[in-house]
Amino acid sequence: MRVPLSWLREYVDLPATETGRDVQAKLVSAGLEVETVEHLGADLKGPLVVGQVLSIEELEGFKKPIRFCTVDVGTANGTGEPQEIVCGARNFAVGDKVVVVLPGAVLPGGFAIAARKTYGKTSHGMICSSDELGMGDDGTKGIIVLPPETEVGKDAIELLELVDEVLDIAVTANRGDCLSIRGVAREAAIAYGLPLRDPALIDVPAPNAFGYPVQVSEPLGCDRFTARTVTGLSPEARSPIWLKRRLQKVGMRPISLAVDVTNYVMTELGQPLHAYDRARVRGTIGVRRAAEGEQIVTLDGVTRKLHAEDLVITDDRGPIGLAGVMGGADTEIADLPQSRMDSTGGTPIDLENSTTEVVVEAAHFDAVSIARTARRHKLSSEASRRFERGVDPAAAAAAAQRTVDLLVLLAGGTAEAGVTEVTTPSGPHTIALPADHPDKVAGVHYGRETVVRRLQEIGCDVYGQDELIVTVPSWRPDLTEINDLAEEVIRLEGYENLPSTLPKPPSGRGLTHRQRLHRRVGRALAGAGYVEAPNYPFIGEGVFDQLGLDADDPARRVVKLTNPLNDEEPALRTTLLPGLLAALRRNDGRGTHDLALFETGLVFHPREGAGVAGHLPVDRRPTDAELAALDAVLPEQPRHAAVVLAGAREQAGWWGKGRPADWADAVEAGRAVAREAGAELLVRRGQYGPWHPGRCAEFAVLVDGTERIVGHAGELHPRVVKALGLPARTCAMELNLDVLEAVGDDTPQAPSISTFPVATQDVALVVDSFVPHADVEAALREGAGELLEGIRLFDVYVNDDQLGEGRTSLAYALRFRAADRTLTVDEASAARDAAVALAGERTGAVLRG
């Protein structure tokens, strides 16, 4: 919400010395998020004056139309002679009043103005557009043409209100009242302890039977509907400068007088309004729910198919507006636009068919209904933003009257005597508040007098002594229970005045076993040199083709989002790799080539036959059965751990050549995760999706005596690397952390230190190259028996001349030790021979000669 300081001062007599920064500090202290203070015209320097075009000469022989103008600027140039100016714009004519900047002036952005020769003429200044003055879009796309009655030579800086300060406030979802100058002025008045001149406190005629006919068929969706009619509007009436400038300062573009007036009153009072061309409305205006499949063309020219929950405004033909969101094109105001074509061409203005009679609507709609309609149609508007955050229902009649008054004043209209007001009876909301409740919440003694005073300042009626009966003002629908009232007292007394106290956690609590495991896994991977890179859980289904997954792969079954943040990523991830690989690609593209990233996070798999979740009620707490039904359709959400690597794993330097990351590093990352979970990981050759068939390891664990695959690791396939734009030889690992947690035992084990020496035996076995090392190691481990303490592969040798074609030598170091004695050479040798024998029987391994 943009709030010009000049507009704010109309309702609160702020000290003349107060700057925008001072007001920002006061409002921030009161709990409003004032993000910035924009200084309009801070670098603007005159002379900037009003001039009248005396003559226009068309210059020929140039690529674009150029005009040489003489402009009367009065005595502003010191001579009283006409000013000669070259201009390329064409939306003004002889006799028009324009804004002229004279030599010596400086425009926003540090643009200094001086006399200069151009297009064969000397231009002494400029005729200005709104963009050149930093005013924003005024809809003209050209030179500012001022009203004919504007005085020649008048200071245009003052006339156009070019110097001002604008507060930019981030209004939270519960403070809809601050989406108006009225609401922010109320907060400023409280912060400064000054009275508020409430713009909604105006005389409003009582409703009568002569107003425009209105029928509300959905009182729960629309509890108040006010209609007023204004006739005799001048087709040539235009928005005055002050009105257009205020709209520009709050970020709105002036369109036409009737539309500008409704936008102005909405910004001033916070009540959205809509003006219908009375000649285009057929019969009674109605409010009802849409019929499923009904259509309406909204003001943005889009045909929208309506949902049965949408609240619509209708006439005898059908829907003419989406209630609280956007009006329909059928009843659009046909006013004289803010810009007009010059006499040399363009479409003539149709004064005959311009709107001369309007019906002004000021209604109050259900916040939830409007919010759902706006999101359903992806159509957020200034009106819907206010309705879904809460609008003052009592301000509707005042807003309608304010609109009528401005139309009568500015367009020469006549307000009809008829006043329509359809309301659903309702009482004020009251809350019983113990007078000392804010004290208990804040831990500060405020006292009853302070509590009552602060609640009265925000508009509450307060009665009682120890037990206060508080009537909430209509403009604060967010105040629903006693803690809301306590919060108001605390924020107005100043959050900065609250004492700092340390929380006292209850004993016997802490992280859960699952949380401790996730933290240990993160620390282990970080200690191994990986950097955590959390990613959004959204993916596009095209990534599965890039990863090379089979058409029937379960990972291709995704959970689709109804309202995705990005249409290119409409599904929830089933694997962590797309996000991690995208992060690796981005970092590599920005010059960081040695990368090791990890992530632990949830993946999502749809349940078989789960169905679709229904809408939970919002008027009551859902029942346990409704919550259980909702849980039943939620997707399965196991937690995975994944890493990706590229570039150098060990840097080169004086200490050595370094080493590139390879598949073994990815496999070791999987082993590190399993160690933290206390799970025994079976590692063997595998083949799956994005991994290179010859450089892929498969991870498995035993679950109730049955092997279950929990992940893969290795080097990615070159086709995947090319499809995703990754560095060559990129490696990755991913496994199911939840399964490891279920089968693991992470109870700390004290190391066993033996008093007996170890016996080491080395053995080199020659096997066919296609035999996995894991199979050979498993056979050696089983054959060696209980005396084997450890086994390590320390050498792999390939030489077709010595070993034979397709043969590989695997050298292992075997460590033997007994718990109760020193082993003899014969015992160690016997254990080794048994291991070699079983390896030969199972894998065809023979001792290397």
Side-chain angles (χ1 to χ4, degrees), residues 201-395:
L201 294 180
I202 57 178
D203 292 332
V204 178
N208 53 54
F210 308 108
Y212 197 93
V214 173
Q215 181 177 0
V216 177
S217 303
E218 184 62 33
L220 295 180
C222 176
D223 57 11
R224 186 180 296 263
F225 194 105
T226 300
R228 299 289 300 276
T229 305
V230 182
T231 60
L233 301 179
S234 171
E236 297 183 350
R238 302 174 65 192
S239 299
I241 293 174
W242 65 266
L243 177 58
K244 292 194 289 186
R245 286 297 295 134
R246 285 194 169 178
L247 290 178
Q248 287 175 322
K249 289 177 184 179
V250 300
M252 293 185 182
R253 179 173 64 88
I255 298 173
S256 62
L257 178 58
V259 176
D260 291 350
V261 166
T262 58
N263 285 337
Y264 177 86
V265 176
M266 176 183 68
T267 305
E268 182 182 55
L269 301 182
Q271 168 65 54
L273 300 111
H274 191 73
Y276 301 94
D277 188 333
R278 184 177 182 179
R280 299 185 179 188
V281 179
R282 300 289 183 263
T284 301
I285 292 178
V287 183
R288 62 170 172 82
R289 297 290 178 183
E292 188 69 38
E294 269 189 306
Q295 292 186 343
I296 182 175
V297 180
T298 46
L299 287 174
D300 55 1
V302 177
T303 300
R304 302 184 184 277
K305 187 176 180 181
L306 301 178
H307 188 276
E309 291 185 4
D310 290 336
L311 200 63
V312 293
I313 309 298
T314 65
D315 65 3
D316 292 349
R317 295 167 296 179
I320 59 173
L322 269 176
V325 181
M326 185 174 287
D330 289 343
T331 56
E332 182 178 5
I333 295 292
D335 277 357
L336 180 68
Q338 298 294 348
S339 61
R340 61 181 177 84
M341 304 300 293
D342 66 272
S343 57
T344 62
T347 304
I349 297 169
D350 185 4
L351 296 179
E352 186 175 332
N353 293 323
S354 295
T355 299
T356 59
E357 298 183 356
V358 299
V359 178
V360 177
E361 165 211 309
H364 184 261
F365 301 109
D366 175 60
V368 173
S369 177
I370 300 306
R372 287 180 173 175
T373 295
R375 283 156 180 74
R376 188 180 298 118
H377 294 282
K378 298 181 179 179
L379 185 62
S380 179
S381 65
E382 292 291 337
S384 68
R385 287 181 62 227
R386 286 166 171 80
F387 277 123
E388 63 191 35
R389 286 166 173 79
V391 168
D392 181 5

Side-chain angles (χ1 to χ4, degrees), residues 536-539 543-544 547 549 555 572-580 599 601-605 640 642 688 690-691 734:
Y536 287 118
F538 311 120
I539 59 172
V543 75
F544 298 132
L547 291 176
L549 300 185
L572 291 174
R573 66 189 179 190
T574 56
T575 168
L576 301 181
L577 291 184
L580 274 177
E599 180 179 8
L602 301 179
V603 299
F604 306 86
H605 299 286
H640 282 202
Y688 176 69
W691 281 278
E734 182 172 12

Side-chain angles (χ1 to χ4, degrees), residues 380-706:
S380 179
S381 65
E382 292 291 337
S384 68
R385 287 181 62 227
R386 286 166 171 80
F387 277 123
E388 63 191 35
R389 286 166 173 79
V391 168
D392 181 5
Q401 182 63 44
R402 180 81 166 118
T403 304
V404 169
D405 292 343
L406 287 173
L407 289 175
V408 170
L409 174 67
L410 302 177
T414 301
E416 288 195 349
V419 177
T420 303
E421 188 165 331
V422 180
T423 60
T424 301
S426 62
H429 180 54
T430 61
I431 302 172
L433 173 73
D436 61 348
H437 183 71
D439 299 8
K440 294 178 179 178
V441 172
V444 175
H445 177 70
Y446 293 124
R448 178 188 178 280
E449 290 73 16
T450 298
V451 172
V452 171
R453 175 172 55 86
R454 288 302 189 183
L455 292 179
Q456 288 175 338
E457 286 178 344
I458 64 173
C460 296
D461 290 330
V462 185
Y463 303 95
Q465 292 299 319
D466 294 338
E467 185 80 9
L468 304 178
I469 303 301
V470 181
T471 302
V472 175
S474 58
W475 56 82
R476 291 299 302 274
D478 58 306
L479 304 180
T480 59
E481 47 117 5
I482 60 174
N483 286 326
D484 296 330
L485 300 178
E487 181 185 2
E488 291 299 298
V489 174
I490 295 168
R491 77 173 180 88
L492 293 178
E493 284 296 304
Y495 290 120
E496 67 276 10
N497 297 323
L498 294 177
S500 298
T501 56
L502 292 176
K504 298 179 180 179
S507 60
R509 295 186 181 180
L511 298 178
T512 64
H513 176 270
R514 180 185 178 88
Q515 291 170 327
R516 289 196 298 270
L517 171 61
H518 296 164
R519 293 197 179 189
R520 286 202 312 272
V521 168
R523 285 195 293 267
L525 292 175
Y530 292 88
V531 176
E532 188 170 15
N535 296 282
Y536 287 118
F538 311 120
I539 59 172
E541 294 182 82
V543 75
F544 298 132
D545 295 327
Q546 295 174 316
L547 291 176
L549 300 185
D550 294 336
D552 59 348
D553 195 298
R556 285 183 175 269
R557 295 183 60 247
V558 296
V559 177
K560 294 288 188 67
L561 299 172
T562 302
N563 189 20
L565 296 178
N566 183 350
D567 290 338
E568 295 180 359
E569 295 179 332
L572 291 174
R573 66 189 179 190
T574 56
T575 168
L576 301 181
L577 291 184
L580 274 177
L581 293 174
L584 184 141
R585 180 177 62 248
R586 284 194 302 272
N587 282 275
D588 181 72
R590 294 171 184 173
T592 303
H593 304 300
D594 303 325
L595 295 161
L597 309 177
F598 84 92
E599 180 179 8
T600 61
L602 301 179
V603 299
F604 306 86
H605 299 286
R607 297 180 188 271
E608 294 290 343
V612 179
H615 293 295
L616 292 180
V618 296
D619 58 340
R620 59 175 174 80
R621 182 190 181 280
T623 64
D624 292 341
E626 288 171 331
L627 292 174
L630 181 64
D631 290 338
V633 299
L634 293 178
E636 296 179 3
Q637 303 175 50
R639 182 172 291 271
H640 282 202
V643 305
V644 293
L645 307 97
R649 186 64 174 143
E650 297 176 3
Q651 294 292 333
W654 58 265
W655 53 84
K657 295 181 179 180
R659 179 177 68 81
D662 61 15
W663 61 268
D665 295 302
V667 173
E668 180 56 30
R671 286 195 171 107
V673 173
R675 282 195 296 270
E676 294 300 325
E680 184 177 349
L681 199 63
L682 305 178
V683 183
R684 59 196 178 207
R685 177 183 294 179
Q687 182 173 345
Y688 176 69
W691 281 278
H692 192 298
R695 299 168 188 164
C696 174
E698 179 181 88
F699 296 145
V701 295
L702 290 176
V703 181
D704 296 330
T706 303

